[in-house]
Amino acid sequence: QITLKESGPTLVKPTQTLTLTCTFSGFSLSTSGVGVGWIRQPPGKALEWLALIYWDDDKRYSPSLKSRLTITKDTSKNQVVLTMTNMDPVDTATYYCAHSRIRFLDRAKVSRSFDPWGQGTLVTVSS
Amino acid sequence: QSALTQPASVSGSPGQSITISCTGTSSDVGSYNLVSWYQQHPGKAPKLMIYEVSKRPSGVSNRFSGSKSGNTASLTISGLQAEDEADYYCCSYAGSSTLEFGGGTKLTVL
């Protein structure tokens, strides 16, 4: 059974850097075809894909947030860490991590789906 | 503003069928059979319902089905039940290993 759980601060101040950790079990992020993604959801709004890290340490980011995001993995700890710099009140959201199955398409790694998801963690940006 | 367009809301009576559309462009939905659908109940994490346009994960009811025509993907729920009332989101591969979500659709079971 695959499970994931997000952890990190519930409140950050504007301009600070947010660091979130996704701790998972039931799979290894060193197994070919596996990835972990981060997705966020502002209160009452839609889902937004942020970043994805693959088993081979390759990484992809949302083009609109790429300059502010860094995703890393610690395979030995079964953890994925997302950092987001220069936080703003508009970044207030529930942040989810999710397991992803990866396939190759024209030599590019693509996510087939996010399943399952963690429970999410609400991060509020306020002074 | 989301990259993929979904109707804000749809509704149906128990037992009926409804369809939720997800309209993209020739750069995302139209070019790849990599559309997935997620169900989200209030206060809960999203749940995968359909992947790769029409594939259903183990454990998901066969009342849920997906399809695609051109730049528009669709999720159909047949035999509508009260527990289907939720928000539904589509997601598509958009090239260069990036992903896009739709704006979400609130399904109300009357």
Side-chain angles (χ1 to χ4, degrees):
Chain A
Q1 179 192 7
I2 292 175
T3 64
L4 307 97
K5 187 173 183 179
E6 307 85 354
S7 59
T10 57
L11 179 66
V12 297
K13 297 184 187 316
T15 75
Q16 286 187 335
T17 294
L18 170 69
T19 299
L20 294 173
T21 300
C22 175
T23 303
F24 57 85
S25 64
F27 68 96
S28 172
L29 200 38
S30 61
T31 300
S32 179
V34 173
V36 171
W38 283 93
I39 303 101
R40 71 178 179 179
Q41 184 175 37
K45 296 187 178 181
L47 299 168
E48 179 183 19
W49 173 70
L50 300 177
L52 188 59
I53 190 165
Y54 303 101
W55 72 95
D56 59 0
D57 208 34
D58 194 11
K59 301 150 189 180
R60 291 292 184 272
Y61 299 99
S62 165
S64 63
L65 293 167
K66 184 175 182 178
S67 63
R68 299 174 54 206
L69 296 173
T70 302
I71 189 170
T72 60
K73 66 181 177 75
D74 186 329
T75 304
S76 65
K77 293 183 178 179
N78 280 354
Q79 291 182 333
V80 171
V81 174
L82 180 76
T83 61
M84 180 179 290
T85 61
N86 195 24
M87 293 293 285
D88 183 272
V90 300
D91 297 313
T92 293
T94 296
Y95 287 76
Y96 296 99
C97 63
H99 169 269
S100 183
R101 292 190 297 158
I102 308 299
R103 55 169 283 194
F104 283 94
L105 181 66
D106 297 332
R107 293 186 293 178
K109 291 188 281 287
V110 302
S111 170
R112 302 174 69 187
S113 63
F114 288 114
D115 178 45
W117 297 52
Q119 63 187 27
T121 185
L122 175 62
V123 178
T124 301
V125 184
S126 175
S127 54
Chain B
Q1 187 171 347
S2 301
L4 305 179
T5 301
Q6 298 180 232
S9 63
V10 298
S11 62
S13 299
Q16 288 185 331
S17 294
I18 63 95
T19 296
I20 299 172
S21 61
C22 171
T23 302
T25 68
S26 57
S27 297
D28 40 54
V29 174
S31 287
Y32 310 101
N33 289 325
L34 285 162
V35 177
S36 51
W37 289 91
Y38 300 88
Q39 176 192 64
Q40 186 180 34
H41 287 109
K44 300 295 186 181
K47 174 188 175 184
L48 176 68
M49 305 304 285
I50 295 288
Y51 67 101
E52 292 180 339
V53 176
S54 59
K55 297 178 181 178
R56 203 169 42 246
S58 173
V60 172
S61 170
N62 59 10
R63 298 186 298 105
F64 291 83
S65 62
S67 62
K68 190 185 86 167
S69 178
N71 297 336
T72 298
S74 299
L75 173 71
T76 297
I77 308 174
S78 59
L80 210 55
Q81 299 179 359
E83 62 257 35
D84 299 332
E85 184 162 296
D87 293 328
Y88 291 85
Y89 293 91
C90 63
C91 178
S92 176
Y93 178 65
S96 301
S97 298
T98 62
L99 298 159
E100 299 167 335
F101 279 94
T105 299
K106 180 177 180 60
L107 170 61
T108 300
V109 180
L110 302 171

